[in-house]
C-alpha cells in the first residue's frame, strides 16, 4: 500500500520533492518545498474466515512544506491539487475516498505547512 501511494506521487510531485516515511524529515537548507508522506493510522481485518483475504482501512497524511512568505493562497492551492490527486480514485489495489480540506499550520522556521489526510481502503491476500 505504501509503495502504491509513493509511486502515485513519484520522487517529485509538481516539481516538489517527496519525502517517504521513515526518512529523516530534515528541511532542505535552501528552503525549497517538499512533501512529507506519513501513514499514522490503519486497521486490518480478515474478510471471510475461511479465506486469507484482508482489508486494510486507514488514512495517510501528506504534509506540504512551502517557503515562508509564499502566501496562504499559494499553499492552499497546491494542497488542494495534492488532495485532488487522491480524491475518489483507485490505483494499484488502493481505493481512496474524500481527503480532508488542507489544514494550514502556523509558520515554522522557513516553512508554512499544509496537511491533507486521505482515507483509503486496500485489500490483499496473504500467502
Amino acid at each position: 500500500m505504501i509503495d502504491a501511494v509513493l509511486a502515485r506521487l513519484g520522487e517529485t510531485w509538481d516539481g516538489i520533492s517527496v519525502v517517504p516515511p521513515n526518512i529523516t524529515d530534515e528541511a532542505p537548507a535552501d528552503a525549497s518545498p517538499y512533501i512529507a508522506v506519513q501513514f499514522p493510522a490503519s486497521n486490518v481485518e480478515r474478510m471471510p474466515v475461511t479465506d486469507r483475504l484482508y482489508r486494510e482501512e486507514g488514512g495517510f497524511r501528506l504534509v506540504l512544506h512551502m517557503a515562508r512568505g509564499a502566501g496562504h493562497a499559494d499553499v492552499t492551492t497546491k494542497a488542494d491539487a495534492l488532495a485532488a490527486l487522491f480524491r475518489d480514485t483507485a490505483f494499484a489495489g488502493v481505493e481512496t475516498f474524500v481527503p480532508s480540506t488542507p489544514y494550514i499550520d502556523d509558520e515554522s522556521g522557513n516553512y508554512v505547512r499544509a496537511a491533507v489526510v486521505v482515507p483509503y481502503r486496500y485489500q490483499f491476500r496473504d500467502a
Side-chain angles (χ1 to χ4, degrees), residues 11-44:
E11 289 184 17
T12 61
W13 172 82
D14 199 26
I16 300 171
S17 296
V18 174
V19 178
N22 297 323
I23 301 294
T24 302
D25 187 14
E26 291 186 25
D30 64 356
S32 60
Y34 69 100
I35 300 166
V37 183
Q38 303 168 343
F39 294 87
S42 68
N43 293 309
V44 178

Side-chain angles (χ1 to χ4, degrees), residues 10-86:
E11 289 184 17
T12 61
W13 172 82
D14 199 26
I16 300 171
S17 296
V18 174
V19 178
N22 297 323
I23 301 294
T24 302
D25 187 14
E26 291 186 25
D30 64 356
S32 60
Y34 69 100
I35 300 166
V37 183
Q38 303 168 343
F39 294 87
S42 68
N43 293 309
V44 178
E45 66 180 20
R46 190 170 177 171
M47 299 299 288
V49 177
T50 58
D51 197 354
R52 295 183 63 88
L53 178 65
Y54 297 88
R55 177 173 52 209
E56 177 180 330
E57 294 181 327
F60 56 91
R61 187 172 182 242
L62 306 170
V63 185
L64 172 64
H65 298 75
M66 291 187 68
R68 178 184 285 220
H72 286 278
D74 288 346
V75 173
T76 301
T77 299
K78 283 283 191 196
D80 282 338
L82 189 57
L85 179 66
F86 291 99

